[in-house]
Amino acid sequence: MKLQAPPLSLYIHIPWCVRKCPYCDFNSHAGQPDEEAYVEALIADLAADTGDVSNRPVGSIFFGGGTPSLFSSAAISRILVAVREQLQLADDVEITLEANPGTADAGHFAGYRAAGVNRLSIGVQSFDDTMLQRLGRIHTASEAREAFQIARAAGFDNINLDLMYGLPGQAPGMAIDDLRQAIALRPEHLSWYQLTLEPNTAFHATPPPAIPDDDMLGEIAETGIPLLASEGYAQYEVSAYARHDRRCRHNLNYWQFGDYIGIGAGAHGKLTVPGEGVVRRRKERHPRRYMETASAGKALSGENRLQDDDLLMEFMLNSLRLNEGVPAAWFEHRTGLALAAIGQRLALACNQGLIEEDESIIRPTQAGRQYLNDLLLLFS
């Protein structure tokens, strides 16, 4: 089966934060960024990574972190100028930048918009100051609301709010009140997800008290998801909800097993390379080491070609998160494997009522979405 190159995205990692949150397992570091040197490294890293994809249009760009809004608008503009020089961008390219309410100001946001950023993702997490303190956040609820209004005033008409539930000491009613406050702002997109205690985090080493149990978490979800739907927020992925079809194209490309370049400290990439297959790449993780190696065009710290079992598992683990699923033909086009490689597992999932019985699409049923972990186990 011949591989077909899927859509292409670009991820840009900025690893610094004012303070490391105790639940965060991303490659982020508290401290003051060396902005100029890091921008130089990113541009050199990009130049070393574009040889295989220079003729492929990029449909989305995502500045993630860390806290990308720690960087000046001039730095973001310089990065995007280099991206436009080295890559072919789609006319309607989506360019997202993650922002922390504690680092928001009108000048920064207006400058990001002028640089070409057309989507903001604001890490609110909660509108309850007590919850924010327990999460180690540096902002208050009023600062979160103010950051949203600053973004609107700067001309952003596509904004995501990140909101968490299942927080330490949070009753179901408190979680739904958080959600109502987020909805009241009328963002185009909401990422509403459960707090998890990930390995290698402070919360995992020392779990906070009074984490809601499974019954409480179920009650929150059973109330919150219909509330979101009634307010026009359509769920299209496990934790993603959009109004007016303002789905995040960048994240959709991940879930649909698309390709992406990853630049920045610890960034990962996935590329479909003719004659080689699907290749994953990763960059030097520590910011200082990354800047030293990237400036010499040697930021790559590892590369591996996905084997058949990895391709099968990764495709299914991503695509089954989507409510609408994916065309069955994409499995063959994006893995190079025949659909028969998962035929028995699909049949088993169908028999258990977890996947729809439709040969043209791979889509979880309502039960499949409700018991997603059980469904994913069939393909892992």
Side-chain angles (χ1 to χ4, degrees), residues 27-42:
N27 184 32
S28 58
H29 304 262
Q32 186 66 31
D34 188 344
E35 184 177 281
E36 184 175 351
Y38 195 74
V39 170
E40 290 282 355
L42 285 173

Side-chain angles (χ1 to χ4, degrees), residues 9 61 112 124 136 148-149 151 155 166 168 171 200 221 231 245 269 272 291 309 325 331 333-334 371:
S9 296
I61 300 170
Y112 298 146
V124 172
F148 183 86
Q149 299 303 336
N200 302 315
E231 295 290 343
D245 202 31
T272 303
M291 286 187 283
D309 286 347
F331 178 81
H333 297 161
R334 299 187 180 187
Y371 301 105

Side-chain angles (χ1 to χ4, degrees), residues 9-13 42 45-46 49 254 260-271 281-283 290 300:
S9 296
L10 169 65
Y11 176 74
I12 303 170
H13 191 71
L42 285 173
D45 189 7
L46 180 66
D49 240 15
Y254 291 153
Y260 51 96
I261 304 166
I263 63 171
H268 287 235
K270 168 192 169 284
L271 290 176
R281 296 172 177 170
R282 55 192 178 275
K283 303 299 173 61
Y290 169 78
L300 192 67

Side-chain angles (χ1 to χ4, degrees), residues 159-357:
I159 301 175
N160 170 64
L161 296 183
D162 260 11
L163 198 68
M164 300 171 71
Y165 68 91
L167 309 182
Q170 185 184 55
M174 298 165 65
I176 299 304
D177 183 61
D178 258 356
L179 188 56
R180 290 187 187 279
Q181 291 191 60
I183 290 170
L185 293 173
R186 308 309 286 173
E188 285 67 36
H189 192 283
L190 277 165
S191 298
W192 188 54
Y193 53 96
Q194 177 188 333
L195 171 67
T196 55
L197 307 187
E198 301 289 352
N200 302 315
T201 65
F203 270 3
H204 189 269
T206 308
I211 291 288
D213 61 24
D214 288 345
D215 288 342
M216 294 175 70
L217 293 171
E219 181 181 343
I220 293 168
E222 288 172 8
T223 305
I225 293 173
L227 172 62
L228 285 159
S230 71
E231 295 290 343
Y233 289 91
Q235 184 184 29
Y236 65 99
E237 188 267 347
V238 173
S239 59
Y241 304 79
R243 295 174 66 223
H244 309 305
D245 202 31
R246 288 294 190 98
R247 300 181 298 175
C248 177
R249 279 187 270 158
H250 188 87
N251 287 341
L252 263 178
N253 194 44
Y254 291 153
W255 296 321
Q256 294 172 343
F257 212 54
D259 279 358
Y260 51 96
I261 304 166
I263 63 171
H268 287 235
K270 168 192 169 284
L271 290 176
T272 303
V273 181
E276 294 185 36
V278 178
V279 178
R280 287 207 176 274
R281 296 172 177 170
R282 55 192 178 275
K283 303 299 173 61
E284 288 287 349
R285 183 174 175 84
H286 193 275
R288 180 59 57 189
R289 176 64 180 160
Y290 169 78
M291 286 187 283
E292 293 170 354
T293 56
S295 297
K298 298 179 180 179
L300 192 67
S301 66
E303 180 176 271
N304 64 290
R305 179 183 177 276
L306 295 184
Q307 302 302 307
D308 290 356
D309 286 347
D310 297 322
L311 287 164
L312 183 159
M313 179 185 66
E314 290 194 21
F315 181 93
M316 297 303 293
L317 293 188
N318 281 286
S319 62
L320 289 174
R321 294 179 62 91
L322 295 170
N323 286 29
E324 65 182 21
V326 296
W330 284 10
F331 178 81
E332 298 186 338
H333 297 161
R334 299 187 180 187
T335 67
L337 304 174
L339 190 60
I342 54 171
Q344 290 185 341
R345 300 186 219 196
L346 287 175
L348 179 59
C350 286
N351 290 337
Q352 294 180 5
L354 301 177
I355 284 184
E356 293 187 5
E357 296 187 31

Side-chain angles (χ1 to χ4, degrees), residues 129-151:
D129 285 341
T130 299
M131 295 296 111
L132 290 170
Q133 290 174 4
R134 290 176 184 173
L135 290 173
R137 303 294 288 175
I138 65 170
H139 68 272
T140 63
S142 63
E143 287 172 334
R145 285 186 284 268
E146 182 181 5
F148 183 86
Q149 299 303 336
I150 290 172

